[in-house]
Amino acid sequence: MKSKDYKNFRFYGIIALISIISVPIILNFILQLSFPNIRIIGNIDTWLGFWSAYSGSVIGSMITLFVLYKTLRQNQENHKTQIDFQIEAIKHQGNKEWLNNLKIETLKNLSILNFEKIESLVSLIKIQSSNIDLIEKISAHEEKIKSSKMTFKILYNNQFSHKEQVEYKKNLENLVSQNLEILFTFKNYIVVLERNIDNFSRFNEVKDIVKEEDRAILENSKQESFKMGIKKKEEIEEIIRKFKKGILLINSNLEKSTIDLIKFEEQKIFKGLIEKLN
C-alpha cells in the first residue's frame, strides 16, 4: 500500500472507530433525558441493540470495501507489472537481435581483414601475362576493407562511450589502415610490372620481323625484361613479409578486443534487464 493510501485509510479508520465508541455513549445519555415535545419510540436496550447491529453492518461493509479496494488495486498493479514485463521483454529481444548483428559484423571484419586474403592475391601475380584481372580483384578487396567498419559505426550510431567500444574501434581502424596501405603499395607494383609485361609482349611481336643480327639484342632485352619481372615479384613478396608480422599483431589485438566487446555488451544487456525487472 502506498503511503498516501495508508494515511487516508488510517484517518477514516480512526474516525469510524471514534464514532463506533462514542455514539453508544452519546445515545445512552440522550435516551435518559426527557424531552416534552419529543417522543422516543423504543427503550434504551432497543436503541443500543439497534446501534450494535448497525455499527456491525457498517464495520462489515467497510471491511468488505477495503478488501475489494485492495483486490482491485493489487490486480491493477499486477496488470501494470505484466505490461512492464512485456515491454522489457520486447526491448530485451531487440537488444539481443542488435547483439547478434554486432557478433556477425565483428566476425565478418575479422574475416575480411585476414592477412591470408592478401597473401592469396599476391600468389596470383603473373610475370609474363596481364595482371589487369588481379588489379580488379585488389580494388574489390580494398572496397570490402573500406566498408568493413561502416556497419559497426551504424550499429553504435557512431557513439562510443565505453573503453571496450573505443578499443575495438581503434584496433579495427588500425588494421584497416595497414591493409589498405599494403594493398596500395601492392597495386602500384603491379602497375609497374604491367608496363614490363607490355614490353615483354612487344618483343614477342617483333622478333620475327627484325634482322638476324638484331635478334640476339632483342632476345637479351627480353631476358632482361623477364628478370625484371621476377625481381618485381620478389620485391612485392618481400614487402608482404615485412608487413605480415606487424599486421598479425594488430589482428591479434583486434581478436582480443572483439571478445572483450561482445562480453561487455552481453553483460550490459542482461544486467539492464535484471535491474528493470527487480
Side-chain angles (χ1 to χ4, degrees):
M1 183 185 295
K2 293 184 179 179
S3 178
K4 186 177 180 181
D5 292 338
Y6 176 74
K7 287 180 180 178
N8 290 337
F9 173 73
R10 187 175 63 177
F11 173 76
Y12 290 117
I14 292 172
I15 296 297
L17 183 62
I18 292 173
S19 298
I20 292 169
I21 295 172
S22 61
V23 167
I25 297 172
I26 297 171
L27 185 62
N28 181 59
F29 176 76
I30 292 173
L31 291 173
Q32 293 187 57
L33 298 176
S34 59
F35 300 96
N37 298 323
I38 298 175
R39 182 186 175 194
I40 298 175
I41 301 174
N43 56 30
I44 295 175
D45 292 337
T46 302
W47 277 103
L48 290 177
F50 164 75
W51 177 250
S52 176
Y54 180 75
S55 60
S57 300
V58 171
I59 292 172
S61 299
M62 288 180 65
I63 293 173
T64 302
L65 287 172
F66 177 72
V67 171
L68 179 61
Y69 167 79
K70 284 289 293 180
T71 302
L72 291 174
R73 190 58 179 266
Q74 188 63 45
N75 289 341
Q76 186 181 31
E77 290 178 356
N78 290 340
H79 182 63
K80 185 177 182 302
T81 301
Q82 290 177 351
I83 292 176
D84 290 343
F85 178 80
Q86 291 173 354
I87 291 173
E88 291 305 320
I90 293 171
K91 288 181 180 179
H92 181 65
Q93 185 60 35
N95 289 335
K96 283 178 64 177
E97 291 178 3
W98 175 88
L99 180 61
N100 186 55
N101 289 334
L102 180 64
K103 289 178 180 179
I104 292 171
E105 186 59 26
T106 52
L107 291 175
K108 179 183 173 184
N109 288 343
L110 287 173
S111 175
I112 291 174
L113 298 171
N114 189 328
F115 195 70
E116 291 180 359
K117 293 185 181 296
I118 293 180
E119 290 181 313
S120 66
L121 287 172
V122 173
S123 68
L124 299 176
I125 297 174
K126 298 183 282 286
I127 59 174
Q128 294 190 49
S129 58
S130 176
N131 288 288
I132 297 299
D133 58 334
L134 179 56
I135 293 178
E136 292 175 354
K137 288 179 180 178
I138 294 172
S139 297
H141 191 54
E142 280 181 322
E143 290 305 312
K144 286 183 179 180
I145 290 175
K146 289 176 183 178
S147 64
S148 64
K149 57 186 179 180
M150 290 309 299
T151 306
F152 173 74
K153 287 187 175 182
I154 291 170
L155 283 168
Y156 279 99
N157 195 25
N158 209 22
Q159 301 294 319
F160 308 100
S161 54
H162 298 278
K163 65 177 184 178
E164 290 85 356
Q165 299 163 0
V166 174
E167 189 67 19
Y168 179 86
K169 179 175 176 287
K170 181 185 74 175
N171 287 319
L172 175 63
E173 291 181 343
N174 195 359
L175 193 55
V176 166
S177 174
Q178 291 291 311
N179 275 270
L180 290 176
E181 182 180 345
I182 193 170
L183 284 176
F184 177 77
T185 306
F186 182 18
K187 192 155 59 172
N188 285 344
Y189 265 84
I190 293 295
V191 171
V192 175
L193 186 58
E194 276 298 295
R195 293 176 191 156
N196 190 66
I197 291 170
D198 187 56
N199 291 334
F200 192 84
S201 299
R202 290 175 187 273
F203 293 145
N204 288 331
E205 290 174 2
V206 300
K207 67 179 182 179
D208 295 330
I209 60 175
V210 298
K211 296 178 181 179
E212 187 70 29
E213 60 270 22
D214 293 331
R215 286 186 181 179
I217 299 173
L218 185 62
E219 188 63 32
N220 184 58
S221 297
K222 179 180 174 182
Q223 291 301 321
E224 288 297 321
S225 179
F226 182 72
K227 289 177 182 178
M228 188 177 291
I230 294 176
K231 183 179 179 182
K232 282 294 176 187
K233 182 178 179 183
E234 290 174 348
E235 287 176 353
I236 295 171
E237 291 172 344
E238 180 61 25
I239 289 174
I240 293 296
R241 282 192 291 271
K242 287 181 179 179
F243 265 92
K244 185 172 183 178
K245 186 176 180 180
I247 287 182
L248 289 180
L249 177 60
I250 300 171
N251 190 76
S252 176
N253 292 335
L254 181 61
E255 289 177 353
K256 181 182 181 303
S257 61
T258 298
I259 294 171
D260 292 341
L261 177 69
I262 298 303
K263 185 178 179 180
F264 166 75
E265 294 297 348
E266 284 178 337
Q267 290 176 343
K268 188 173 71 172
I269 287 173
F270 285 100
K271 182 180 178 182
L273 177 65
I274 292 171
E275 286 178 351
K276 289 186 177 180
L277 290 180
N278 289 337

